[in-house]
Amino acid sequence: MNWSDIASTAATGIVWTAFACFAVVAARNIISLAQLLVAAWVFLTRVQPGEGARDLWHRYADLMLPISVIAPAFNEELSIVQSVKALLALEYPDHEVIVVNDGSKDDTLGELIRAFDMFKADRTQIAQLQQTQIRGTYRSRRYPNLLVIDKENGRKADAANAGIGFARTPLVCVIDADSIIEPDGLLRAAEPFMYQDQRLIAVGGAIRIANGCTIRGGSLQKIGIAKEMVPRFQIVEYLRAFLMNRVANAHTNTLMLISGAFGLFRRSTLVEMGGYRHDTVGEDLELVVRMHRFMREQKRDYRIEFVPDIVCWTEAPAALRGLDNQRARWQQGALETLQRHRGMIGNPRYGRIGLLAMPQIVLEDILGPPAELLGYLVLPVAALLGLLDPIMAVAFFFVSVVFGCALSVGTLVLEEQQLRRTPSASDLLRIGIAAVIENFGYRQINLWYRLQGIRRFFRNDTTWAAVPRVGFTGT
């Protein structure tokens, strides 16, 4: 083969790569646009203004199923007391709080013992789902519905399983220990279980960024936004994820992820499935995918719902340091889940989950990140070399960046029209600005972090780097 043939082959490869990158990015954005339209339709026609907590209490107080709120905690001494106070103060007729200290290296356990007057007490575990040793259980002299489990470190999935094994209630709510549920969150999450019989097995809610908010006594006092741009960018990301993707997917019964920060589950289903898997860094995604697989293979009728009125506030990374590990871990967890359940992809046995939902995850988490990042490099080069019409490179920029801005702003409009959680016009403007400029740099940096997650997946790197925390302010 001479140099002319090599050059011709290389040019052909560049052109085909450019077209493939364009096609993948365009497909992702078409799906996102469809989700935005479905979510808007759902909000406008199905989701009515939520009842107040007092109305929900009066309507369902005698019917609400008891709930165990399970909060795995690892090195959470900065915020654990405030978080537990908020959990104890939740407006719900019958709930127990189970904090699982997952072998923390800081003084998480000591903070709990001192703040809540804890003492060692025996509690029988009725289902052993965790793999590590339980070191002790503690009860509170001041709060009879508070239980603390101290165990060896096994990461979040193992800690959640330990809590599920100690719970005695029909429903269990698994949250992050550094998250704060709005006072009526459990009421809103439990409401669908009142009229779904045994079909409903899980309910998810919206996650919002607590950075910049005022937290006192373990509860949200004032909604605000952070001064730093990185948390503002994440506000936009979370709005897209929860008010666009999750609302649309739940409507079509293809919801594949309930955030690990907040989820309400039927305990019997979790125990029957063996709880969370221990051998993945994306245990929340894997659990829901396995739920779909389990229920469909058992030929059971089931529903997995999403309620946008449920809001759980969580501390997000305030800088790129910490965000890199978080996003790489999310990406790695998605690939691990796809590998483990690859037999579902395109398989009609699993209905719309196999034919629609799983291929969408493939597009988003396998093809999407490398295709978009590569497209930023290949299309301009191809245009400069005369291999492609420059209009093609401009079109790729429009599809990937300008269209991304439009989707973000559209989601923000949807949020403001339906939920109105942004406190002021000036804050709304700040978030709107972030929705635009996140597409110029921040988005591309996140693509790089996701590529690092792909690299970690192929290297079978299971190390866990904790996200740096500064704790809630205004406490």
Side-chain angles (χ1 to χ4, degrees):
M1 180 179 291
N2 55 39
W3 286 109
S4 177
D5 292 335
I6 295 175
S8 177
T9 302
T12 301
I14 291 174
V15 171
W16 278 107
T17 301
F19 276 109
C21 292
F22 187 91
V24 169
V25 172
R28 291 175 68 196
N29 281 341
I30 289 172
I31 291 174
S32 295
L33 176 60
Q35 289 176 330
L36 178 61
L37 294 176
V38 171
W41 184 83
V42 169
F43 273 114
L44 291 173
T45 62
R46 299 293 181 89
V47 178
Q48 303 299 321
E51 293 180 286
R54 181 176 299 178
D55 294 329
L56 289 173
W57 185 285
H58 287 308
R59 177 178 292 189
Y60 295 119
D62 295 333
L63 300 175
M64 288 290 184
L65 299 173
I67 294 175
S68 293
V69 181
I70 300 168
F74 176 73
N75 291 351
E76 302 285 355
E77 66 177 356
L78 290 174
S79 59
I80 189 64
V81 172
Q82 294 85 355
S83 296
V84 173
K85 286 180 180 178
L87 295 178
L88 291 168
L90 289 172
E91 297 169 349
Y92 197 80
D94 186 3
H95 79 287
E96 179 182 39
V97 177
I98 301 177
V99 182
V100 185
N101 179 45
D102 190 39
S104 297
K105 298 178 182 178
D106 64 1
D107 198 30
T108 297
L109 182 60
E111 289 285 340
L112 289 167
I113 290 174
R114 290 187 292 272
F116 300 103
D117 194 12
M118 311 292 298
F119 64 95
K120 265 201 168 184
D122 290 333
R123 170 79 171 252
T124 303
Q125 188 176 23
I126 58 178
Q128 184 173 335
L129 304 176
Q130 84 284 351
Q131 295 184 342
T132 53
Q133 185 70 30
I134 302 296
R135 297 190 293 213
T137 56
Y138 297 79
R139 303 304 304 240
S140 170
R141 293 184 176 89
R142 294 160 50 194
Y143 300 95
N145 61 328
L146 174 61
L147 173 69
V148 172
I149 302 167
D150 184 34
K151 63 181 286 294
E152 296 175 350
N153 180 257
R155 302 205 301 205
K156 181 182 176 180
D158 194 67
N161 283 342
I164 294 168
F166 276 96
R168 288 167 164 77
T169 55
L171 303 179
V172 293
C173 175
V174 181
I175 72 162
D176 284 342
D178 60 347
S179 299
I180 292 180
I181 310 173
E182 290 189 347
D184 62 354
L186 281 187
L187 284 169
R188 298 193 184 282
E191 182 184 7
F193 284 93
M194 299 302 100
Y195 53 83
Q196 285 276 0
D197 299 324
Q198 294 295 313
R199 292 184 302 142
L200 186 62
I201 59 175
V203 167
I207 309 300
R208 303 294 289 266
I209 304 299
N211 303 51
C213 297
T214 301
I215 311 292
R216 290 196 182 96
S219 63
L220 180 73
Q221 298 294 314
K222 181 181 179 182
I223 299 174
I225 63 172
K227 297 178 181 178
E228 302 87 356
M229 289 304 297
V230 171
R232 294 186 188 183
F233 293 148
Q234 291 173 82
I235 291 175
V236 178
E237 288 183 297
Y238 278 46
L239 287 176
R240 284 199 306 264
F242 291 97
L243 297 190
M244 185 174 75
N245 299 352
R246 307 284 170 84
V247 169
N249 289 339
H251 178 69
T252 58
N253 201 20
T254 57
L255 183 63
M256 304 301 287
L257 175 62
I258 289 178
S259 173
F262 177 88
L264 186 62
F265 303 92
R266 196 173 296 278
R267 180 182 176 275
S268 59
T269 303
L270 291 181
V271 172
E272 192 176 2
M273 292 171 51
Y276 290 87
R277 290 191 69 104
H278 304 80
D279 55 352
T280 178
V281 298
E283 68 282 336
D284 47 2
L285 173 64
E286 196 283 329
L287 176 71
V288 179
V289 172
R290 184 157 42 93
M291 275 186 165
H292 283 290
R293 182 173 187 170
F294 178 81
M295 298 301 286
R296 287 182 177 270
E297 289 180 350
Q298 296 285 323
K299 301 186 184 304
R300 299 185 192 177
D301 189 16
Y302 72 100
R303 290 285 302 179
I304 297 176
E305 298 282 3
F306 176 80
V307 181
D309 289 322
I310 305 168
V311 177
C312 178
W313 297 84
T314 189
E315 182 185 356
L320 293 178
R321 181 178 174 270
L323 186 72
D324 54 354
N325 289 320
Q326 182 192 65
R327 299 310 165 87
R329 186 172 70 244
W330 290 356
Q331 179 70 30
Q332 181 182 358
L335 293 175
E336 290 173 350
T337 298
L338 286 171
Q339 181 189 50
R340 182 166 290 115
H341 300 286
R342 58 188 178 275
M344 297 174 65
I345 302 172
N347 190 338
R349 177 186 182 188
Y350 300 97
R352 68 187 68 188
I353 301 302
L355 297 176
L356 296 177
M358 293 297 286
Q360 181 182 334
I361 298 178
V362 172
L363 182 64
E364 289 288 339
D365 293 303
I366 293 183
L367 303 178
E372 183 174 346
L373 200 57
L374 188 60
Y376 291 125
L377 302 174
V378 172
L379 271 88
V381 169
L384 289 173
L385 294 176
L387 301 174
L388 284 177
D389 190 325
I391 295 298
M392 185 77 171
V394 174
F396 179 82
F397 176 81
F398 178 84
V399 168
S400 60
V401 176
V402 179
F403 197 80
C405 293
L407 288 173
S408 297
V409 173
T411 307
L412 184 59
V413 171
L414 187 64
E415 193 275 342
E416 180 60 20
Q417 287 293 320
Q418 299 298 322
L419 301 181
R420 298 182 180 179
R421 296 302 180 103
T422 306
S424 67
S426 60
D427 285 339
L428 184 64
L429 178 62
R430 293 187 184 98
I431 299 173
I433 292 172
V436 173
I437 65 176
E438 64 136 355
N439 290 276
F440 301 90
Y442 175 81
R443 174 174 176 161
Q444 290 74 25
I445 291 172
N446 264 290
L447 290 172
W448 176 252
Y449 293 157
R450 295 183 73 174
L451 288 183
Q452 297 307 305
I454 295 174
R455 177 172 172 268
R456 288 177 53 174
F457 167 75
F458 284 110
R459 294 181 61 184
N460 197 28
D461 183 357
T462 59
T463 57
W464 185 284
V467 176
R469 307 285 187 185
V470 297
F472 295 122
T473 59
T475 54

